[in-house]
Amino acid sequence: MGARGGKSANCVYRNARSRRCLCEAGLRDLRRQCRWGKLPRSRRTAASIMPLISRRSFLVGAAALASAPRWASAKSSDEVDIVIVGAGAAGIAAARRVAAAKRSFVVIEAADRIGGRCITDTRLFGVPLDLGAHWIHSPEINPLAKLAGATGLDVYEAPPGQRIRVGRRYAREGELEDCLSELVRANRSIDDAAQGKADISCAEALPADLGDWRSTIEFLLGPFSCAKNLSEVSAVDFAKSQERDTSAFCRQGFGTLLARLAEGLPIRLSTPATRIETWRRGRVRVETPNGTIVGRAVIVTASTGVLAANKINFDPNLPKRYVDAIDQLRPGSYDHVALAVTGAPFGPQADELIFEKSDSARTAAMLTNISGTQLSVVDIAGKFGRELAQYGEQEMVAFVLDWLADLYGSGVRRSVQRVYATRWNDVPYVLGAFSAAAPGGQSARKALMTPWRSRVWFAGEAVHETLWGTVGGAWQSGERAAEAAMRRLGLIATPGGATSSKPRRSRRRRTRRRPRRTRRTQPRIWWQRPHY
């Protein structure tokens, strides 16, 4: 190989006129000068701006073209407009939004299945069992409920209300009224506390005179609704959460519905993101064990449990405000113990929600005869649920059988044929249930809604200020992040009609408007607020 810019009798890459050597060493200066406009147009030959193509590089390029995804909008297998990390509800929603805009993207999922915390299993019991999320909240406004009509799946309204066991009988009407009255007082106290200057815990806001219903109310509003004890939940975050008084179920499973909505999307399973690098301007590199993907932006939908455990390394490191926000939104604990029973030990009613008038934190909730089957699910959550899950499935099942025997008699043990317990805290790419903000941490959700370096967006149930802990909230968060990323990159039109990522400066003098005063919402009754 000849010296830089010199002649070489052995070099076959020469300029046709000057016979100067155009080897790779000699092309570096030519490309650099051409890039900065120092060469006249006559000297900007194809050789001076194109890399040398060898037989090896040609074969590699052909192989890459053959292995490119079949998605029509994808440019190649390794460079796209937007990289989406995670194939849960938020990731699927973001992917569908980018696909609708006909932009290139790819979804990478660490697990060997899609759905995140919303998956349906049919092998364990022969009928659909939602291992994670099951409730479709507020179906009249839930985007997933609206999309379900086109899938052919059966989505039906959940029966209203629930029942309470007092020992081995159901609560009488007067007892239910007493419980409801104390529940209203508890909710009003939390809403009032949320209007104060300091963000305290929900436990601090509770009235001191809840009587013998205190443990029950603490379970209903804490572990059952937030996956955490009330001492770990921000009063402001709790009060801002949107009401979820109506719900629906999918007979084939909520996870089945989500999987149906993901059909046709370019999703790479068993491909965890290990490092996200944003040093290059206008580019982001997502490293995985299967290679590196380059994009103009990335949408990270991994759970806050995964982010807090540093499963994904950011280069440069995330600023402190993001690190603090992730820490304040760590997920709680919420697990299911599924039971296949014979007969009707819990009554004939399908999808009946049952609580217990408890005197301690060692309590649970149960959804019986799911979708009319012989399958029932007992929910264990909060601090007690986390500690119990650490001992393993055997201890979880033992507690459930003892709990049911106390409520329905020892004969219920004989009716249980098969059992299965989830342990979401130990799932490597989930590490928990859903996120309720710690006291003083409600603003963390807004912090995660802010893009980092104009290339990294976060999405998921934790990034929704009012619908946290729900699949619908995760879905809306994913759509919102995809919309914002594409607008920032100029891939879709802005509301004003321009496609540029930089807003035009108005010549008019802007006048400062007074912020509108928002009406404070009245105290809500959170009687039916299960997330999972």
Side-chain angles (χ1 to χ4, degrees):
M1 194 71 71
R4 177 186 296 183
K7 297 181 180 179
S8 173
N10 297 326
C11 183
V12 295
Y13 302 105
R14 300 184 184 181
N15 185 281
R17 293 184 179 179
S18 64
R19 304 296 295 172
R20 289 174 60 85
C21 173
L22 296 177
C23 63
E24 186 64 18
L27 283 176
R28 291 171 185 166
D29 284 347
L30 288 175
R31 291 199 200 98
R32 187 179 299 113
Q33 294 177 40
C34 185
R35 187 182 303 123
W36 295 101
K38 294 181 180 179
L39 283 180
R41 183 176 298 275
S42 61
R43 290 191 61 186
R44 297 183 190 182
T45 61
S48 66
I49 60 176
M50 292 180 60
L52 300 179
I53 300 179
S54 64
R55 181 176 181 273
R56 178 181 176 84
S57 61
F58 175 79
L59 294 176
V60 171
L65 181 62
S67 62
R70 296 183 179 181
W71 188 254
S73 63
K75 297 177 182 177
S76 72
S77 61
D78 295 316
E79 186 165 356
V80 292
D81 288 324
I82 297 179
V83 183
I84 301 171
V85 179
I92 293 171
R96 286 171 59 98
R97 180 63 188 91
V98 179
K102 301 186 185 306
R103 300 300 177 177
S104 62
F105 69 97
V106 66
V107 183
I108 58 174
E109 168 57 46
D112 58 357
R113 51 158 181 78
I114 65 171
R117 288 162 280 181
C118 184
I119 56 176
T120 301
D121 182 275
T122 57
R123 297 173 297 177
L124 290 170
F125 297 96
V127 295
L129 168 64
D130 283 325
L131 299 179
H134 181 65
W135 298 76
I136 305 175
H137 295 289
S138 306
E140 63 278 1
I141 60 173
N142 193 312
L144 289 149
K146 295 179 180 180
L147 293 170
T151 64
L153 300 178
D154 182 14
V155 175
Y156 62 96
E157 185 178 354
Q162 48 280 309
R163 304 175 77 181
I164 297 180
R165 296 287 290 187
V166 181
R168 294 192 178 182
R169 63 175 177 83
Y170 287 106
R172 301 182 180 92
E173 184 176 353
E175 293 171 319
L176 289 175
E177 291 178 356
D178 291 342
C179 180
L180 181 59
S181 175
E182 298 300 328
L183 194 63
V184 171
R185 290 182 58 222
N187 274 284
R188 184 179 293 116
S189 295
I190 295 175
D191 283 346
D192 290 344
Q195 305 298 330
K197 294 182 179 180
D199 182 11
I200 63 176
S201 71
C202 291
E204 295 177 85
L206 287 183
D209 56 343
L210 291 176
D212 55 356
W213 288 105
R214 172 172 288 274
S215 295
T216 303
I217 291 172
E218 287 178 343
F219 172 76
L220 288 172
L221 300 182
F224 182 68
S225 297
C226 303
K228 294 180 179 180
N229 289 20
L230 288 179
S231 60
E232 305 172 288
V233 180
S234 157
V236 176
D237 200 41
F238 186 95
K240 283 190 174 183
S241 180
Q242 185 173 316
E243 293 184 48
R244 301 152 198 182
D245 294 332
T246 60
S247 298
F249 298 129
C250 179
R251 196 173 302 277
Q252 293 80 11
F254 204 170
T256 303
L257 171 59
L258 197 61
R260 191 71 60 87
L261 296 175
E263 290 180 352
L265 299 177
I267 300 176
R268 302 182 188 180
L269 300 177
S270 302
T271 308
T274 57
R275 181 172 173 267
I276 296 177
E277 183 258 303
T278 57
W279 284 111
R280 292 184 60 190
R281 185 174 182 179
R283 286 290 183 270
V284 58
R285 292 168 55 87
V286 181
E287 296 181 5
T288 77
N290 302 327
T292 300
I293 305 171
V294 180
R296 299 176 63 187
V298 60
I299 299 175
V300 181
T301 71
S303 73
T304 52
V306 170
L307 295 175
N310 295 319
K311 294 277 187 176
I312 303 175
N313 295 316
F314 291 87
D315 185 16
N317 294 329
L318 286 175
K320 186 177 183 298
R321 66 180 183 276
Y322 291 97
V323 176
D324 292 343
I326 291 169
D327 185 65
Q328 291 171 328
L329 295 173
R330 287 176 180 265
S333 178
Y334 201 112
D335 283 303
H336 305 308
V337 178
L339 312 165
V341 300
T342 58
F346 313 123
Q349 180 69 34
D351 300 308
E352 187 170 45
L353 187 59
I354 297 175
F355 300 107
E356 169 201 18
K357 183 180 182 181
S358 61
D359 56 4
S360 72
R362 294 178 59 87
T363 187
M366 179 169 61
L367 187 65
T368 65
N369 309 321
I370 296 176
S371 298
T373 66
Q374 296 293 107
L375 191 64
S376 297
V377 169
V378 177
D379 296 334
I380 310 171
K383 182 179 179 182
F384 166 67
R386 183 183 297 276
E387 293 173 351
L388 190 62
Q390 289 176 349
Y391 289 103
E393 181 177 7
Q394 186 174 356
E395 289 296 323
M396 297 172 71
V397 171
F399 163 77
V400 168
L401 294 179
D402 290 341
W403 184 72
L404 292 174
D406 290 341
L407 299 181
Y408 294 92
S410 59
V412 74
R413 297 177 184 270
R414 294 189 294 270
S415 64
V416 177
Q417 301 298 306
R418 295 185 62 188
V419 295
Y420 177 79
T422 65
R423 297 173 65 193
W424 283 102
N425 302 327
D426 295 332
V427 177
Y429 300 114
V430 177
L431 299 178
F434 49 91
S435 64
Q442 203 281 333
S443 60
R445 302 192 190 279
K446 191 172 183 180
L448 287 185
M449 291 168 59
T450 306
W452 178 51
R453 298 175 70 87
S454 300
R455 275 163 283 169
V456 180
W457 277 260
F458 293 96
E461 54 85 17
V463 196
H464 202 294
E465 287 192 294
T466 60
L467 288 175
W468 51 266
T470 69
V471 181
W475 186 275
Q476 289 185 12
S477 174
E479 287 186 325
R480 184 171 57 194
E483 190 94 11
M486 289 191 292
R487 290 194 191 283
R488 180 65 182 83
L489 298 176
L491 300 178
I492 59 175
T494 60
T499 57
S500 173
S501 60
K502 295 183 179 179
R504 294 181 178 180
R505 299 180 65 179
S506 175
R507 294 184 179 180
R508 292 184 178 181
R509 186 176 181 181
R510 297 183 179 179
T511 59
R512 299 181 65 180
R513 297 182 180 179
R514 292 183 179 180
R516 292 186 302 174
R517 297 182 64 182
T518 57
R519 290 186 61 186
R520 294 181 179 178
T521 58
Q522 297 296 322
R524 282 91 44 86
I525 299 176
W526 285 9
W527 180 236
Q528 186 173 331
R529 284 192 71 251
H531 294 318
Y532 266 34

